[in-house]
Amino acid sequence: MACSATRSLAGGKVRWTIYAVGEERGGVTRRLRWVYNATDGVVEQRVVDP
């Protein structure tokens, strides 16, 4: 698994965007992205592809 994270500040809110790529058993590769609003303590978006 490989991952990275970026931090942004917009509209007075701190957000972390976390990207990850990994392979499941059986060889299926997944790309994941989460957007975490650190100011409010909530995950605003979660995307799993495919």
Side-chain angles (χ1 to χ4, degrees):
M1 176 181 251
C3 62
S4 67
T6 58
R7 180 182 178 267
S8 63
L9 176 63
K13 304 217 182 237
V14 175
R15 288 184 175 87
W16 286 92
T17 303
I18 303 156
Y19 300 93
V21 176
E23 186 175 300
E24 292 183 350
R25 290 180 202 166
V28 177
T29 300
R30 302 263 187 218
R31 291 181 302 272
L32 308 135
R33 184 183 71 205
W34 295 271
V35 177
Y36 175 70
N37 177 335
T39 304
D40 298 329
V42 296
V43 175
E44 294 180 335
Q45 186 177 48
R46 188 184 88 193
V47 177
V48 179
D49 183 35

